[in-house]
Amino acid sequence: MEVGKAPSSITAGSPARPRGSSLSLPLPAPTEYKGGEGVLLLNASSRGYWVETLFAWHGRPMPAVPIFVYATWAVSATTLCMLYPDPVSPLDRDDAGSDNPAPRFVLDTTVESLVGAALFFLLVFRTNTCYDRWWEARKQWGLIINRTRDFSRQGAAYVRSHARVATLMKYSVAYAVCAKQHLRGDRNLAELAVYLSRGEVEEIEQSKHVVLRVLRTLSETLAGAHAAGEIDSIQLSMLDANLTTLEDTLGACERILKTKMPFGYIVHLRAFLVLWTAALPFALVPFLLWGTPVACIVIFYALLGIDAIGVEVENPFGRDYNDLPLDSIVHDTIAANVVGEMLPWAMAQPVRLAPSPPPQGPRDSVSPASVRVGLERRAVGAHLAPPPHPALPPDASSATAEGKG
């Protein structure tokens, strides 16, 4: 598959569903993924991706406006130093024999080097912190992949109703789509139209928190299956644990999205960066003369590029080139696994009936009407039967026996 391209559709298997119908769900992926193209490019390369990265234009930090402003400053500072030399300092004679007066405004390179070491340390710390956020976001989406797979597997194996199994799996994919759009600040859920009905999609869109609405529907479906006797309490607990994990991963992603680096740290770093690069021409001009602006611009681009990369990967859920490929994760992995693989298998299984309740005992099976009829019959029988013989005392009975003898 071409990097950055989404499959036009995925046909979910050929096994026939009961009642003679088949399941074919094309994925509503866009014709071209937006976001994370750099990750997809590296995944498609197999030889160290030197060619893909060395000459790449997309994904490379290119802060054009700051570079233009700094280039103007570097040229102006170099011109000031070269046009107004220091008349007191001795003249330097080059190999051609021309005299080059020393610049008037210079800065000791030792000071610039010591201050630059602290600046580089701050830049490295910022870059590592932003990468940690990016990697933490990728781990959370890896957990979403695992939990949706496990949830669909358990639902297909435990739940007996085909309708509920289909609901669980389709809403599992809906969770991934809604989480992606929610983290991007986009409430457009047109991708759900292939899985859910128009009314179901509109119901999700009208809710304040679309992801929580999907999780609530999954919980209600599990509760209905348990009430109908399709799953027992242990199976319900296992399925619900996956939903709790999905809710936890959503909270972790929201934490990454809404918590940036401390404001004071960024302010100090950028002020430090601007001051250091502004003083750089005065430290290089005694050595490079008119070549100072070129060297300064290259150094400025290298340092500013590191900061620009940190800004881009600080929010890894967007649509930038270096963000996470969420479209590919949702459509090529989650939807393909759940709807393309697990759902057709579940629909091909025969409908499993709920176990019948144990037979009731003889006392439990007697109805009140039968008890009343039995009592009436007993009363009539006692009225028609001959009266019983009177009971004789023990002495009389023994005397009668001896007289007969």
Side-chain angles (χ1 to χ4, degrees):
M1 182 183 67
E2 186 178 354
V3 175
K5 297 293 183 179
S8 58
S9 65
I10 294 180
T11 302
S14 58
R17 293 178 63 182
R19 304 178 184 177
S21 62
S22 60
L23 181 66
S24 179
L25 294 176
L27 297 183
T31 56
E32 184 174 354
Y33 291 153
K34 186 64 176 178
E37 293 87 351
V39 178
L40 298 177
L41 179 65
L42 298 182
N43 291 340
S45 177
S46 60
R47 295 190 176 183
Y49 32 82
W50 266 96
V51 178
E52 293 83 356
T53 57
L54 185 61
F55 304 102
W57 178 259
H58 297 288
R60 188 183 299 275
M62 190 58 64
V65 175
I67 290 178
F68 176 77
V69 173
Y70 183 76
T72 304
W73 163 253
V75 172
S76 302
T78 303
T79 303
L80 177 65
C81 293
M82 295 302 295
L83 294 183
Y84 296 93
D86 187 0
V88 180
S89 63
L91 301 181
D92 297 331
R93 184 175 301 274
D94 57 13
D95 296 337
S98 61
D99 294 333
N100 292 324
R104 180 188 298 265
F105 307 102
V106 295
L107 182 65
D108 188 2
T109 56
T110 303
V111 176
E112 190 76 1
S113 300
L114 293 176
V115 176
L119 174 63
F120 299 154
F121 175 79
L122 293 177
L123 283 174
V124 170
F125 177 76
R126 171 172 171 77
T127 303
N128 290 339
T129 303
C130 293
Y131 177 76
D132 288 340
R133 295 167 56 88
W134 187 90
W135 181 240
E136 176 65 20
R138 180 60 185 89
K139 290 193 294 185
Q140 294 299 327
W141 271 92
L143 188 59
I144 291 176
I145 294 174
N146 295 339
R147 292 305 95 200
T148 52
R149 286 173 175 170
D150 194 52
F151 183 79
S152 61
R153 175 188 60 82
Q154 293 175 347
Y158 301 154
V159 180
R160 299 179 179 89
S161 171
H162 282 173
R164 286 195 175 93
V165 170
T167 300
L168 292 177
M169 295 194 180
K170 291 179 181 179
Y171 271 87
S172 298
V173 179
Y175 167 85
V177 174
C178 291
K180 171 176 67 73
Q181 297 297 93
H182 171 70
L183 295 173
R184 289 178 172 178
D186 189 356
R187 295 184 63 89
N188 182 13
L189 302 179
E191 302 174 29
L192 294 179
V194 72
Y195 308 113
L196 308 176
S197 64
R198 180 178 299 178
E200 292 172 332
V201 175
E202 292 177 354
E203 185 178 0
I204 296 176
E205 290 178 339
Q206 293 173 1
S207 59
K208 294 182 179 180
H209 201 296
V210 293
V211 188
L212 291 183
R213 181 64 183 84
V214 173
L215 290 175
R216 192 184 78 183
T217 301
L218 290 172
S219 297
E220 293 173 350
T221 305
L222 291 179
H226 182 260
E230 297 178 5
I231 56 176
D232 56 30
S233 299
I234 298 178
Q235 294 169 343
L236 174 63
S237 177
M238 295 172 61
L239 288 164
D240 191 69
N242 281 320
L243 296 184
T244 301
T245 304
L246 290 177
E247 192 171 10
D248 291 341
T249 56
L250 175 64
C253 291
E254 289 178 337
R255 168 178 53 84
I256 296 174
L257 176 66
K258 297 180 180 180
T259 307
K260 308 294 183 182
M261 293 191 65
F263 178 79
Y265 179 87
I266 298 178
V267 169
H268 182 71
L269 171 62
R270 291 184 173 175
F272 199 177
L273 177 62
V274 170
L275 292 177
W276 188 86
T277 52
L280 185 61
F282 300 100
L284 298 182
V285 69
F287 306 96
L288 303 179
L289 302 180
W290 288 105
T292 300
V294 178
C296 290
I297 292 173
V298 172
I299 296 174
F300 179 78
Y301 170 72
L303 298 179
L304 192 64
I306 295 176
D307 181 75
I309 293 174
V311 172
E312 185 171 335
V313 302
E314 191 176 29
N315 176 17
F317 307 113
R319 295 182 171 88
D320 293 330
Y321 202 87
N322 293 308
D323 289 336
L324 294 177
L326 296 186
D327 288 330
S328 177
I329 292 175
V330 170
H331 296 300
D332 295 345
T333 304
I334 296 178
N337 294 159
V338 176
V339 174
E341 180 69 23
M342 197 63 67
L343 182 57
W345 174 82
M347 294 295 102
Q349 304 303 312
V351 178
R352 295 163 291 169
L353 300 178
S356 57
Q360 297 178 346
R363 292 185 178 180
D364 297 336
S365 61
V366 177
S367 62
S370 62
V371 173
R372 185 175 61 255
V373 172
L375 293 176
E376 293 177 353
R377 290 179 178 178
R378 182 178 300 178
V380 172
H383 178 72
L384 297 179
H389 296 283
L392 298 177
D395 298 339
S397 59
S398 60
T400 304
E402 291 176 358
K404 288 182 180 182

PDB file of all heavy atoms in Angstrom, residues 370-402:
ATOM      1  N   SER A 370     -54.878 -25.981  42.807  1.00  0.00           N
ATOM      2  CA  SER A 370     -54.837 -27.418  43.057  1.00  0.00           C
ATOM      3  C   SER A 370     -54.863 -27.729  44.540  1.00  0.00           C
ATOM      4  O   SER A 370     -55.447 -28.726  44.984  1.00  0.00           O
ATOM      5  CB  SER A 370     -53.580 -28.012  42.420  1.00  0.00           C
ATOM      6  OG  SER A 370     -52.407 -27.442  42.998  1.00  0.00           O
ATOM      7  N   VAL A 371     -54.262 -26.872  45.346  1.00  0.00           N
ATOM      8  CA  VAL A 371     -54.319 -27.074  46.801  1.00  0.00           C
ATOM      9  C   VAL A 371     -55.748 -26.939  47.310  1.00  0.00           C
ATOM     10  O   VAL A 371     -56.221 -27.737  48.135  1.00  0.00           O
ATOM     11  CB  VAL A 371     -53.379 -26.069  47.499  1.00  0.00           C
ATOM     12  CG1 VAL A 371     -53.564 -26.143  49.010  1.00  0.00           C
ATOM     13  CG2 VAL A 371     -51.929 -26.339  47.129  1.00  0.00           C
ATOM     14  N   ARG A 372     -56.484 -25.941  46.782  1.00  0.00           N
ATOM     15  CA  ARG A 372     -57.869 -25.753  47.216  1.00  0.00           C
ATOM     16  C   ARG A 372     -58.751 -26.934  46.819  1.00  0.00           C
ATOM     17  O   ARG A 372     -59.584 -27.417  47.595  1.00  0.00           O
ATOM     18  CB  ARG A 372     -58.419 -24.452  46.615  1.00  0.00           C
ATOM     19  CG  ARG A 372     -59.820 -24.110  47.121  1.00  0.00           C
ATOM     20  CD  ARG A 372     -60.286 -22.762  46.598  1.00  0.00           C
ATOM     21  NE  ARG A 372     -60.352 -22.725  45.151  1.00  0.00           N
ATOM     22  CZ  ARG A 372     -59.490 -22.109  44.375  1.00  0.00           C
ATOM     23  NH1 ARG A 372     -58.467 -21.476  44.918  1.00  0.00           N
ATOM     24  NH2 ARG A 372     -59.618 -22.126  43.058  1.00  0.00           N
ATOM     25  N   VAL A 373     -58.581 -27.471  45.622  1.00  0.00           N
ATOM     26  CA  VAL A 373     -59.366 -28.623  45.173  1.00  0.00           C
ATOM     27  C   VAL A 373     -59.057 -29.844  46.019  1.00  0.00           C
ATOM     28  O   VAL A 373     -59.947 -30.626  46.402  1.00  0.00           O
ATOM     29  CB  VAL A 373     -59.095 -28.895  43.684  1.00  0.00           C
ATOM     30  CG1 VAL A 373     -59.755 -30.207  43.256  1.00  0.00           C
ATOM     31  CG2 VAL A 373     -59.607 -27.743  42.843  1.00  0.00           C
ATOM     32  N   GLY A 374     -57.784 -30.034  46.378  1.00  0.00           N
ATOM     33  CA  GLY A 374     -57.440 -31.186  47.205  1.00  0.00           C
ATOM     34  C   GLY A 374     -58.065 -31.128  48.582  1.00  0.00           C
ATOM     35  O   GLY A 374     -58.526 -32.141  49.126  1.00  0.00           O
ATOM     36  N   LEU A 375     -58.096 -29.938  49.166  1.00  0.00           N
ATOM     37  CA  LEU A 375     -58.724 -29.798  50.477  1.00  0.00           C
ATOM     38  C   LEU A 375     -60.219 -30.072  50.428  1.00  0.00           C
ATOM     39  O   LEU A 375     -60.808 -30.697  51.327  1.00  0.00           O
ATOM     40  CB  LEU A 375     -58.458 -28.396  51.032  1.00  0.00           C
ATOM     41  CG  LEU A 375     -56.994 -28.080  51.391  1.00  0.00           C
ATOM     42  CD1 LEU A 375     -56.858 -26.634  51.841  1.00  0.00           C
ATOM     43  CD2 LEU A 375     -56.499 -29.031  52.469  1.00  0.00           C
ATOM     44  N   GLU A 376     -60.883 -29.604  49.335  1.00  0.00           N
ATOM     45  CA  GLU A 376     -62.317 -29.860  49.207  1.00  0.00           C
ATOM     46  C   GLU A 376     -62.598 -31.351  49.070  1.00  0.00           C
ATOM     47  O   GLU A 376     -63.532 -31.886  49.675  1.00  0.00           O
ATOM     48  CB  GLU A 376     -62.868 -29.082  48.012  1.00  0.00           C
ATOM     49  CG  GLU A 376     -62.843 -27.563  48.215  1.00  0.00           C
ATOM     50  CD  GLU A 376     -63.321 -26.830  46.968  1.00  0.00           C
ATOM     51  OE1 GLU A 376     -63.532 -27.518  45.939  1.00  0.00           O
ATOM     52  OE2 GLU A 376     -63.456 -25.585  47.023  1.00  0.00           O
ATOM     53  N   ARG A 377     -61.806 -32.062  48.288  1.00  0.00           N
ATOM     54  CA  ARG A 377     -62.006 -33.497  48.132  1.00  0.00           C
ATOM     55  C   ARG A 377     -61.776 -34.234  49.446  1.00  0.00           C
ATOM     56  O   ARG A 377     -62.482 -35.189  49.789  1.00  0.00           O
ATOM     57  CB  ARG A 377     -61.068 -34.040  47.052  1.00  0.00           C
ATOM     58  CG  ARG A 377     -61.443 -33.579  45.655  1.00  0.00           C
ATOM     59  CD  ARG A 377     -60.454 -34.132  44.640  1.00  0.00           C
ATOM     60  NE  ARG A 377     -60.809 -33.741  43.283  1.00  0.00           N
ATOM     61  CZ  ARG A 377     -60.094 -34.052  42.201  1.00  0.00           C
ATOM     62  NH1 ARG A 377     -58.959 -34.740  42.342  1.00  0.00           N
ATOM     63  NH2 ARG A 377     -60.498 -33.667  41.014  1.00  0.00           N
ATOM     64  N   ARG A 378     -60.808 -33.794  50.218  1.00  0.00           N
ATOM     65  CA  ARG A 378     -60.553 -34.443  51.500  1.00  0.00           C
ATOM     66  C   ARG A 378     -61.735 -34.244  52.456  1.00  0.00           C
ATOM     67  O   ARG A 378     -62.120 -35.154  53.208  1.00  0.00           O
ATOM     68  CB  ARG A 378     -59.268 -33.890  52.102  1.00  0.00           C
ATOM     69  CG  ARG A 378     -58.901 -34.550  53.429  1.00  0.00           C
ATOM     70  CD  ARG A 378     -57.596 -33.983  53.945  1.00  0.00           C
ATOM     71  NE  ARG A 378     -56.515 -34.223  52.979  1.00  0.00           N
ATOM     72  CZ  ARG A 378     -55.268 -33.793  53.166  1.00  0.00           C
ATOM     73  NH1 ARG A 378     -54.959 -33.106  54.272  1.00  0.00           N
ATOM     74  NH2 ARG A 378     -54.348 -34.050  52.258  1.00  0.00           N
ATOM     75  N   ALA A 379     -62.340 -33.077  52.439  1.00  0.00           N
ATOM     76  CA  ALA A 379     -63.485 -32.816  53.315  1.00  0.00           C
ATOM     77  C   ALA A 379     -64.692 -33.662  52.931  1.00  0.00           C
ATOM     78  O   ALA A 379     -65.394 -34.228  53.781  1.00  0.00           O
ATOM     79  CB  ALA A 379     -63.841 -31.329  53.269  1.00  0.00           C
ATOM     80  N   VAL A 380     -64.979 -33.812  51.639  1.00  0.00           N
ATOM     81  CA  VAL A 380     -66.109 -34.630  51.181  1.00  0.00           C
ATOM     82  C   VAL A 380     -65.885 -36.084  51.532  1.00  0.00           C
ATOM     83  O   VAL A 380     -66.783 -36.807  51.991  1.00  0.00           O
ATOM     84  CB  VAL A 380     -66.313 -34.451  49.673  1.00  0.00           C
ATOM     85  CG1 VAL A 380     -67.353 -35.434  49.161  1.00  0.00           C
ATOM     86  CG2 VAL A 380     -66.733 -33.013  49.375  1.00  0.00           C
ATOM     87  N   GLY A 381     -64.661 -36.570  51.369  1.00  0.00           N
ATOM     88  CA  GLY A 381     -64.361 -37.962  51.701  1.00  0.00           C
ATOM     89  C   GLY A 381     -64.534 -38.235  53.181  1.00  0.00           C
ATOM     90  O   GLY A 381     -65.019 -39.293  53.591  1.00  0.00           O
ATOM     91  N   ALA A 382     -64.174 -37.331  54.014  1.00  0.00           N
ATOM     92  CA  ALA A 382     -64.345 -37.519  55.461  1.00  0.00           C
ATOM     93  C   ALA A 382     -65.816 -37.537  55.858  1.00  0.00           C
ATOM     94  O   ALA A 382     -66.219 -38.228  56.798  1.00  0.00           O
ATOM     95  CB  ALA A 382     -63.597 -36.396  56.205  1.00  0.00           C
ATOM     96  N   HIS A 383     -66.674 -36.802  55.111  1.00  0.00           N
ATOM     97  CA  HIS A 383     -68.115 -36.782  55.435  1.00  0.00           C
ATOM     98  C   HIS A 383     -68.808 -38.078  55.055  1.00  0.00           C
ATOM     99  O   HIS A 383     -69.714 -38.557  55.752  1.00  0.00           O
ATOM    100  CB  HIS A 383     -68.755 -35.594  54.726  1.00  0.00           C
ATOM    101  CG  HIS A 383     -70.238 -35.521  54.957  1.00  0.00           C
ATOM    102  ND1 HIS A 383     -70.786 -35.143  56.191  1.00  0.00           N
ATOM    103  CD2 HIS A 383     -71.292 -35.787  54.125  1.00  0.00           C
ATOM    104  CE1 HIS A 383     -72.106 -35.181  56.095  1.00  0.00           C
ATOM    105  NE2 HIS A 383     -72.440 -35.560  54.843  1.00  0.00           N
ATOM    106  N   LEU A 384     -68.429 -38.732  53.967  1.00  0.00           N
ATOM    107  CA  LEU A 384     -69.069 -39.942  53.501  1.00  0.00           C
ATOM    108  C   LEU A 384     -68.521 -41.196  54.149  1.00  0.00           C
ATOM    109  O   LEU A 384     -69.164 -42.236  54.156  1.00  0.00           O
ATOM    110  CB  LEU A 384     -68.916 -40.066  51.977  1.00  0.00           C
ATOM    111  CG  LEU A 384     -69.592 -38.936  51.160  1.00  0.00           C
ATOM    112  CD1 LEU A 384     -69.343 -39.153  49.684  1.00  0.00           C
ATOM    113  CD2 LEU A 384     -71.097 -38.886  51.464  1.00  0.00           C
ATOM    114  N   ALA A 385     -67.359 -41.169  54.691  1.00  0.00           N
ATOM    115  CA  ALA A 385     -66.749 -42.384  55.261  1.00  0.00           C
ATOM    116  C   ALA A 385     -67.456 -42.777  56.555  1.00  0.00           C
ATOM    117  O   ALA A 385     -68.003 -41.918  57.271  1.00  0.00           O
ATOM    118  CB  ALA A 385     -65.275 -42.134  55.525  1.00  0.00           C
ATOM    119  N   PRO A 386     -67.562 -44.110  56.894  1.00  0.00           N
ATOM    120  CA  PRO A 386     -68.198 -44.537  58.150  1.00  0.00           C
ATOM    121  C   PRO A 386     -67.403 -44.043  59.322  1.00  0.00           C
ATOM    122  O   PRO A 386     -66.186 -43.828  59.244  1.00  0.00           O
ATOM    123  CB  PRO A 386     -68.165 -46.075  58.064  1.00  0.00           C
ATOM    124  CG  PRO A 386     -67.046 -46.357  57.124  1.00  0.00           C
ATOM    125  CD  PRO A 386     -67.048 -45.242  56.133  1.00  0.00           C
ATOM    126  N   PRO A 387     -68.127 -43.846  60.462  1.00  0.00           N
ATOM    127  CA  PRO A 387     -67.422 -43.330  61.635  1.00  0.00           C
ATOM    128  C   PRO A 387     -66.429 -44.347  62.155  1.00  0.00           C
ATOM    129  O   PRO A 387     -66.691 -45.560  62.117  1.00  0.00           O
ATOM    130  CB  PRO A 387     -68.556 -43.093  62.649  1.00  0.00           C
ATOM    131  CG  PRO A 387     -69.657 -43.982  62.211  1.00  0.00           C
ATOM    132  CD  PRO A 387     -69.561 -44.064  60.715  1.00  0.00           C
ATOM    133  N   PRO A 388     -65.357 -43.987  62.641  1.00  0.00           N
ATOM    134  CA  PRO A 388     -64.337 -44.929  63.139  1.00  0.00           C
ATOM    135  C   PRO A 388     -64.796 -45.554  64.445  1.00  0.00           C
ATOM    136  O   PRO A 388     -65.623 -45.007  65.177  1.00  0.00           O
ATOM    137  CB  PRO A 388     -63.114 -44.048  63.317  1.00  0.00           C
ATOM    138  CG  PRO A 388     -63.661 -42.670  63.541  1.00  0.00           C
ATOM    139  CD  PRO A 388     -64.932 -42.585  62.745  1.00  0.00           C
ATOM    140  N   HIS A 389     -64.294 -46.784  64.783  1.00  0.00           N
ATOM    141  CA  HIS A 389     -64.613 -47.446  66.034  1.00  0.00           C
ATOM    142  C   HIS A 389     -64.027 -46.667  67.185  1.00  0.00           C
ATOM    143  O   HIS A 389     -62.905 -46.162  67.093  1.00  0.00           O
ATOM    144  CB  HIS A 389     -64.049 -48.879  66.042  1.00  0.00           C
ATOM    145  CG  HIS A 389     -64.683 -49.735  64.976  1.00  0.00           C
ATOM    146  ND1 HIS A 389     -65.956 -50.265  65.113  1.00  0.00           N
ATOM    147  CD2 HIS A 389     -64.209 -50.164  63.770  1.00  0.00           C
ATOM    148  CE1 HIS A 389     -66.249 -50.987  64.050  1.00  0.00           C
ATOM    149  NE2 HIS A 389     -65.193 -50.934  63.213  1.00  0.00           N
ATOM    150  N   PRO A 390     -64.839 -46.657  68.327  1.00  0.00           N
ATOM    151  CA  PRO A 390     -64.276 -45.939  69.476  1.00  0.00           C
ATOM    152  C   PRO A 390     -63.081 -46.683  70.040  1.00  0.00           C
ATOM    153  O   PRO A 390     -63.042 -47.902  70.068  1.00  0.00           O
ATOM    154  CB  PRO A 390     -65.438 -45.903  70.457  1.00  0.00           C
ATOM    155  CG  PRO A 390     -66.318 -47.027  70.065  1.00  0.00           C
ATOM    156  CD  PRO A 390     -66.196 -47.163  68.582  1.00  0.00           C
ATOM    157  N   ALA A 391     -62.184 -46.010  70.507  1.00  0.00           N
ATOM    158  CA  ALA A 391     -60.958 -46.612  71.048  1.00  0.00           C
ATOM    159  C   ALA A 391     -61.244 -47.202  72.413  1.00  0.00           C
ATOM    160  O   ALA A 391     -61.932 -46.598  73.249  1.00  0.00           O
ATOM    161  CB  ALA A 391     -59.854 -45.562  71.160  1.00  0.00           C
ATOM    162  N   LEU A 392     -60.817 -48.433  72.653  1.00  0.00           N
ATOM    163  CA  LEU A 392     -61.004 -49.121  73.918  1.00  0.00           C
ATOM    164  C   LEU A 392     -59.807 -48.911  74.807  1.00  0.00           C
ATOM    165  O   LEU A 392     -58.665 -48.780  74.321  1.00  0.00           O
ATOM    166  CB  LEU A 392     -61.195 -50.622  73.692  1.00  0.00           C
ATOM    167  CG  LEU A 392     -62.440 -51.003  72.867  1.00  0.00           C
ATOM    168  CD1 LEU A 392     -62.461 -52.501  72.657  1.00  0.00           C
ATOM    169  CD2 LEU A 392     -63.706 -50.538  73.569  1.00  0.00           C
ATOM    170  N   PRO A 393     -60.028 -48.899  76.155  1.00  0.00           N
ATOM    171  CA  PRO A 393     -58.872 -48.765  77.050  1.00  0.00           C
ATOM    172  C   PRO A 393     -58.011 -49.999  76.989  1.00  0.00           C
ATOM    173  O   PRO A 393     -58.469 -51.076  76.606  1.00  0.00           O
ATOM    174  CB  PRO A 393     -59.501 -48.579  78.430  1.00  0.00           C
ATOM    175  CG  PRO A 393     -60.876 -49.114  78.304  1.00  0.00           C
ATOM    176  CD  PRO A 393     -61.317 -48.891  76.892  1.00  0.00           C
ATOM    177  N   PRO A 394     -56.804 -49.939  77.387  1.00  0.00           N
ATOM    178  CA  PRO A 394     -55.897 -51.093  77.288  1.00  0.00           C
ATOM    179  C   PRO A 394     -56.383 -52.276  78.121  1.00  0.00           C
ATOM    180  O   PRO A 394     -56.304 -53.410  77.680  1.00  0.00           O
ATOM    181  CB  PRO A 394     -54.554 -50.550  77.810  1.00  0.00           C
ATOM    182  CG  PRO A 394     -54.641 -49.069  77.631  1.00  0.00           C
ATOM    183  CD  PRO A 394     -56.086 -48.708  77.817  1.00  0.00           C
ATOM    184  N   ASP A 395     -56.973 -52.086  79.322  1.00  0.00           N
ATOM    185  CA  ASP A 395     -57.436 -53.204  80.153  1.00  0.00           C
ATOM    186  C   ASP A 395     -58.616 -53.911  79.534  1.00  0.00           C
ATOM    187  O   ASP A 395     -58.723 -55.138  79.545  1.00  0.00           O
ATOM    188  CB  ASP A 395     -57.808 -52.694  81.552  1.00  0.00           C
ATOM    189  CG  ASP A 395     -56.601 -52.094  82.276  1.00  0.00           C
ATOM    190  OD1 ASP A 395     -55.456 -52.445  81.870  1.00  0.00           O
ATOM    191  OD2 ASP A 395     -56.812 -51.269  83.187  1.00  0.00           O
ATOM    192  N   ALA A 396     -59.559 -53.130  78.951  1.00  0.00           N
ATOM    193  CA  ALA A 396     -60.749 -53.748  78.347  1.00  0.00           C
ATOM    194  C   ALA A 396     -60.382 -54.592  77.163  1.00  0.00           C
ATOM    195  O   ALA A 396     -60.924 -55.653  76.921  1.00  0.00           O
ATOM    196  CB  ALA A 396     -61.735 -52.632  77.951  1.00  0.00           C
ATOM    197  N   SER A 397     -59.486 -54.119  76.374  1.00  0.00           N
ATOM    198  CA  SER A 397     -59.086 -54.876  75.171  1.00  0.00           C
ATOM    199  C   SER A 397     -58.444 -56.186  75.574  1.00  0.00           C
ATOM    200  O   SER A 397     -58.667 -57.248  74.974  1.00  0.00           O
ATOM    201  CB  SER A 397     -58.164 -54.049  74.312  1.00  0.00           C
ATOM    202  OG  SER A 397     -56.993 -53.685  75.030  1.00  0.00           O
ATOM    203  N   SER A 398     -57.642 -56.206  76.658  1.00  0.00           N
ATOM    204  CA  SER A 398     -56.999 -57.453  77.076  1.00  0.00           C
ATOM    205  C   SER A 398     -57.998 -58.419  77.680  1.00  0.00           C
ATOM    206  O   SER A 398     -57.923 -59.636  77.482  1.00  0.00           O
ATOM    207  CB  SER A 398     -55.881 -57.136  78.064  1.00  0.00           C
ATOM    208  OG  SER A 398     -56.433 -56.476  79.211  1.00  0.00           O
ATOM    209  N   ALA A 399     -59.011 -57.888  78.422  1.00  0.00           N
ATOM    210  CA  ALA A 399     -60.035 -58.761  79.003  1.00  0.00           C
ATOM    211  C   ALA A 399     -60.894 -59.415  77.950  1.00  0.00           C
ATOM    212  O   ALA A 399     -61.257 -60.577  78.009  1.00  0.00           O
ATOM    213  CB  ALA A 399     -60.906 -57.963  79.983  1.00  0.00           C
ATOM    214  N   THR A 400     -61.234 -58.708  76.944  1.00  0.00           N
ATOM    215  CA  THR A 400     -62.026 -59.248  75.841  1.00  0.00           C
ATOM    216  C   THR A 400     -61.257 -60.362  75.150  1.00  0.00           C
ATOM    217  O   THR A 400     -61.825 -61.401  74.778  1.00  0.00           O
ATOM    218  CB  THR A 400     -62.346 -58.145  74.836  1.00  0.00           C
ATOM    219  OG1 THR A 400     -63.006 -57.098  75.539  1.00  0.00           O
ATOM    220  CG2 THR A 400     -63.219 -58.658  73.736  1.00  0.00           C
ATOM    221  N   ALA A 401     -60.002 -60.200  75.018  1.00  0.00           N
ATOM    222  CA  ALA A 401     -59.208 -61.236  74.362  1.00  0.00           C
ATOM    223  C   ALA A 401     -59.176 -62.488  75.222  1.00  0.00           C
ATOM    224  O   ALA A 401     -59.271 -63.614  74.703  1.00  0.00           O
ATOM    225  CB  ALA A 401     -57.793 -60.714  74.141  1.00  0.00           C
ATOM    226  N   GLU A 402     -59.096 -62.392  76.604  1.00  0.00           N
ATOM    227  CA  GLU A 402     -59.048 -63.557  77.437  1.00  0.00           C
ATOM    228  C   GLU A 402     -60.392 -64.280  77.459  1.00  0.00           C
ATOM    229  O   GLU A 402     -60.461 -65.489  77.446  1.00  0.00           O
ATOM    230  CB  GLU A 402     -58.690 -63.133  78.882  1.00  0.00           C
ATOM    231  CG  GLU A 402     -57.254 -62.623  79.004  1.00  0.00           C
ATOM    232  CD  GLU A 402     -57.001 -62.133  80.410  1.00  0.00           C
ATOM    233  OE1 GLU A 402     -57.942 -62.166  81.213  1.00  0.00           O
ATOM    234  OE2 GLU A 402     -55.838 -61.728  80.673  1.00  0.00           O
TER     235      GLU A 402
END
